[in-house]
Amino acid sequence: LGDKKHLIRLSLFCTSRLENDGLIKEKGCIPEEEQRRIEKVFNELSPPPSIDNIIIGGYFGKQLPTWMMSASMVPLNNLTYIMFVDLACCTQLPDGLCQLPNLQFFKVDRAPCIRRVGAEFLQVAATPFPRLNEMYLLGMVQWEEWEWEEQVQAMPRLEKLMLRKCKLRHIPTGVATNARALKELFLQDIQHLNYLDGFPTVVELTMLRIPDMERITNLPNLQKLTITDCPKLKVLESMPGLDRLILQDYVMEELPEYMRDIKPRHLQLFCRIWLLSSLAAGQSGPEWDKLSHVEHVKAYACDGNNPRKWYVLYTRRDNCKLDSNISSSTVFEGDTMAAEEERQAAAAVASGPGDGNKEQEAYRLQTAI
């Protein structure tokens, strides 16, 4: 393989050993002898220096190939894109990637045995990950600790970071301090994370189903904020540039108090029909003082598969004009509608945004074939 001097793309696939929940199908079902064998095979599949794109899927060794752990073994100076899917047994991310001079895209999708990303991931290098632009760490369901000290300068060109389905308790200060080009931060299904503070360059922040999140502060350049099902969130502070807030919560019975502390120009709200009816009451309603300062409000409640069946539209500059297709007779039709609303709210919370992506679906199809 190493003699293929013009090879630029390499995909290596094994049959996935993971269930839909991202965990190994049967505990202890992969014999150590089989793991050692696959590690030996992958160690021999060392690509040529010309390689630009690598995808590895379903790999079930405990350690990734040795040629990924040290740039001195194979000078992958042309590598720009690398993706791992379904790493059933790997216990750590490869150390050598940080030295690659042209790596721009790095993605891990489902690695249930990684509990810690330590300092070795950013090991001694002039500037670790000097050109990395996008990083996705997804489905690392047991990941609890990420070590990145503030003084370790790395990822100066990182613009997009996505973390999904893990147990991180905090985002290390090194991210906010050193990833000075970071514009988009996407956090989803992260257990135990209860605050986010001090990301001076982030322009767009998305928070989906962060059950313990309590406060988000010090994002001076934030323009767009999306919050979905973060029931404990109480504090939003120090985001003077906020232009657009998208808030989705089909369980809350009233608008959160932090609406008084922020001044977005645009608010898009997806909520239960009872809360929407309170908004429709306008100045005579209990929620008016929480949204009257917003320039444009678009609020919706769902009906069946239509998430925008009922609406309240409000424009502050147009003499506080409020338009709605909801009325008291619509809301208070009796217990039948209330029960149906609860069912729809539960379904909306459970479904959430889709988790699929094209690369993973392509991989699933390939392994199925």
Side-chain angles (χ1 to χ4, degrees):
L1 184 64
D3 292 336
K4 308 297 183 184
K5 297 181 180 180
H6 300 289
L7 186 66
I8 59 173
R9 295 184 182 179
L10 175 64
S11 298
L12 302 172
F13 293 104
C14 302
T15 302
S16 176
R17 307 301 180 98
L18 299 182
E19 295 281 13
N20 291 334
D21 60 4
L23 299 175
I24 299 176
K25 292 181 179 180
E26 295 181 17
K27 189 174 183 180
C29 69
I30 307 175
E32 289 189 10
E33 181 181 351
E34 193 174 349
Q35 289 181 326
R36 288 194 295 268
R37 185 184 304 121
I38 199 65
E39 289 175 358
K40 183 177 180 180
V41 169
F42 270 63
N43 285 339
E44 294 296 325
L45 293 172
S46 178
S50 58
I51 202 76
D52 169 79
N53 182 306
I54 294 178
I55 300 176
I56 294 179
Y59 178 74
F60 52 90
K62 290 184 178 180
Q63 300 293 328
L64 283 160
T66 54
W67 45 267
M68 283 189 172
M69 308 302 281
S70 174
S72 62
M73 295 190 63
V74 179
L76 301 175
N77 293 336
N78 292 310
L79 190 65
T80 63
Y81 180 106
I82 188 164
M83 179 170 71
F84 302 106
V85 181
D86 288 10
L87 300 179
C89 302
C90 285
T91 57
Q92 69 178 73
L93 297 177
D95 301 344
L97 297 183
C98 66
Q99 303 177 37
L100 301 181
N102 290 302
L103 186 65
Q104 299 175 23
F105 182 100
F106 175 53
K107 181 174 183 179
V108 177
D109 193 346
R110 308 211 308 175
C113 290
I114 295 178
R115 296 179 176 271
R116 177 178 176 273
V117 175
E120 63 276 2
F121 184 57
L122 302 175
Q123 60 176 288
V124 179
T127 303
F129 295 102
R131 294 192 178 182
L132 189 65
N133 184 259
E134 299 181 37
M135 182 165 69
Y136 303 81
L137 302 177
L138 319 176
M140 295 165 56
V141 292
Q142 301 297 330
W143 181 27
E144 298 179 339
E145 183 181 353
W146 185 4
E147 183 179 338
W148 182 351
E149 298 296 335
E150 187 174 352
Q151 67 272 17
V152 179
Q153 299 182 13
M155 303 186 192
R157 298 190 183 184
L158 186 67
E159 293 186 5
K160 186 172 184 178
L161 174 62
M162 178 184 290
L163 308 176
R164 187 176 73 195
K165 291 187 179 179
C166 64
K167 296 181 179 180
L168 277 180
R169 295 185 178 275
H170 70 277
I171 311 298
T173 55
V175 179
T177 304
N178 296 292
R180 298 179 181 178
L182 187 62
K183 296 293 187 295
E184 296 181 43
L185 181 58
F186 187 106
L187 306 176
Q188 177 181 343
D189 295 316
I190 301 179
Q191 302 179 39
H192 311 310
L193 184 66
N194 59 17
Y195 74 93
L196 192 71
D197 178 75
F199 282 80
T201 61
V202 169
V203 173
E204 182 173 345
L205 173 63
T206 302
M207 310 279 291
L208 303 183
R209 298 190 295 272
I210 315 293
D212 293 330
M213 179 59 64
E214 297 179 358
R215 58 187 177 93
I216 305 173
T217 57
N218 296 322
L219 286 87
N221 287 298
L222 188 67
Q223 298 178 17
K224 181 180 179 182
L225 174 59
T226 301
I227 300 172
T228 300
D229 300 331
C230 297
K232 294 183 180 180
L233 184 60
K234 303 298 181 183
V235 178
L236 291 183
E237 290 180 345
S238 301
M239 42 189 73
L242 186 61
D243 179 74
R244 185 175 301 272
L245 173 62
I246 301 173
L247 178 59
Q248 178 176 326
D249 190 326
Y250 291 101
V251 177
M252 65 180 179
E253 299 182 356
E254 60 182 15
L255 289 178
E257 288 296 319
Y258 60 68
M259 285 299 303
R260 305 178 193 274
D261 303 321
I262 57 175
K263 297 181 179 180
R265 291 183 60 247
H266 300 268
L267 169 65
Q268 191 169 18
L269 175 68
F270 296 88
C271 62
R272 58 190 303 173
I273 196 169
W274 299 100
L275 177 54
L276 192 70
S277 68
S278 295
L279 305 186
Q283 299 184 35
S284 62
E287 304 296 325
W288 178 252
D289 60 336
K290 297 178 186 176
L291 58 78
S292 59
H293 59 284
V294 180
E295 291 292 335
H296 303 280
V297 176
K298 295 180 179 180
Y300 303 98
C302 63
D303 184 8
N305 293 325
N306 184 355
R308 305 189 184 198
K309 170 69 174 181
W310 310 108
Y311 65 84
V312 171
L313 307 178
Y314 164 72
T315 304
R316 184 169 181 265
R317 290 184 178 180
D318 192 7
N319 295 320
C320 297
K321 180 181 179 181
L322 190 148
D323 181 31
S324 178
N325 67 345
I326 193 170
S327 64
S328 58
S329 60
T330 304
V331 179
F332 302 105
E333 287 182 351
D335 295 338
T336 301
M337 184 171 184
E340 176 63 15
E341 183 197 48
E342 294 295 337
R343 184 193 66 78
Q344 292 175 5
V349 171
S351 62
D355 289 342
N357 58 72
K358 294 181 179 179
E359 297 95 338
Q360 184 168 336
E361 290 305 315
Y363 168 66
R364 303 275 180 250
L365 178 60
Q366 180 164 345
T367 55
I369 292 172

